[in-house]
Amino acid sequence: MNEAEEYEAWKVREIARIKRDREDREAMLKEREEIERVRNMTEEERRDWERKNPKPAPPPKQKWRFMQKYFHKGAFFQDESDDRAATVGTDNIFKRDFSAPTGEDNMDKTILPKVMQVKHFGRSGRTKWTHLVNEDTTDWNNPWTYNDPLRAKYNAKMAGMNTAIAKPKGSKKLKDWESR
């Protein structure tokens, strides 16, 4: 190894690092001065400034597919900054879209028959239902909702149950308000 070449390469890297640090420092100072300037503005000046310098709109959220699997982006290595200004997220891995479908989720499951629209179809441990939204398990004909003499006698013995049980009708708050 030639020490003179190594020294020159080091010198170039060191000068680039010093220049990068100086630019980062100046950018942070400019940002602080801008924040102070905005704080010291009157309400009308601030409205005008915000109208001229609008905040960038956040990227639109992607619509998830039917029964798409959820992947957490991970809690590890998220707080470690990869630059001197401590702004996490400049590396490409931090810009990755974790809500994008992968693997089996790339297939459109809505075109399948209703029986096959479940997780792990054909496997021994598959779930029977996708979700219980389609299944209404409310039964208004069970013994607890009958308003017969036996039920009335039971309600009289229970604390705070002096009225018969009925299906809910509208907002209770509005009824209480109208009765006052």
Side-chain angles (χ1 to χ4, degrees):
M1 292 288 175
N2 190 351
E3 289 184 16
E5 289 177 8
E6 284 182 17
Y7 178 74
E8 288 300 319
W10 172 82
K11 202 157 112 177
V12 169
R13 286 194 311 268
E14 190 67 18
I15 290 171
R17 183 188 64 79
I18 291 170
K19 185 178 177 184
R20 186 180 64 237
D21 288 349
R22 184 184 307 135
E23 288 172 358
D24 288 347
R25 236 180 293 121
E26 289 173 359
M28 283 188 352
L29 285 174
K30 273 187 183 175
E31 189 175 341
R32 284 182 190 161
E33 289 173 0
E34 183 72 17
I35 290 170
E36 278 301 315
R37 194 171 60 80
V38 171
R39 282 182 184 163
N40 294 331
M41 287 182 182
T42 63
E43 200 63 34
E44 292 175 6
E45 290 174 342
R46 188 175 295 173
R47 268 192 235 115
D48 290 338
W49 183 84
E50 286 175 354
R51 206 173 298 121
K52 292 175 186 173
N53 304 321
K55 290 181 181 177
K61 287 193 170 184
Q62 184 178 6
K63 179 127 174 78
W64 283 39
R65 294 193 178 182
F66 177 70
M67 292 202 38
Q68 180 178 332
K69 190 174 180 184
Y70 170 73
F71 289 102
H72 192 275
K73 70 177 184 175
F76 299 105
F77 309 112
Q78 292 293 317
D79 60 346
E80 191 67 28
S81 62
D82 53 4
D83 61 343
R84 300 277 302 166
T87 55
V88 178
T90 57
D91 202 10
N92 284 338
I93 195 163
F94 294 111
K95 296 176 184 172
R96 187 177 295 169
D97 183 17
F98 288 92
S99 64
T102 59
E104 293 178 5
D105 297 330
N106 279 327
M107 189 180 81
D108 187 14
K109 293 182 181 179
T110 56
I111 59 175
L112 293 173
K114 196 74 174 168
V115 179
M116 295 176 72
Q117 290 181 2
V118 291
K119 289 183 182 177
H120 311 299
F121 176 74
R123 295 188 188 162
S124 61
R126 77 167 179 88
T127 57
K128 185 175 182 182
W129 308 106
T130 56
H131 36 75
L132 290 176
V133 172
N134 300 332
E135 306 301 318
D136 185 14
T137 57
T138 308
D139 182 16
W140 290 105
N141 296 323
N142 62 16
W144 298 107
T145 58
Y146 286 151
N147 291 322
D148 56 355
L150 184 64
R151 183 72 194 164
K153 183 179 175 184
Y154 181 73
N155 284 345
K157 289 183 179 181
M158 289 178 61
M161 292 294 293
N162 295 332
T163 60
I165 296 175
K167 293 181 183 177
K169 296 175 185 166
S171 173
K172 187 176 181 181
K173 290 181 182 176
L174 290 176
K175 288 180 185 176
D176 289 346
W177 183 259
E178 291 170 359
S179 65
R180 289 184 186 166

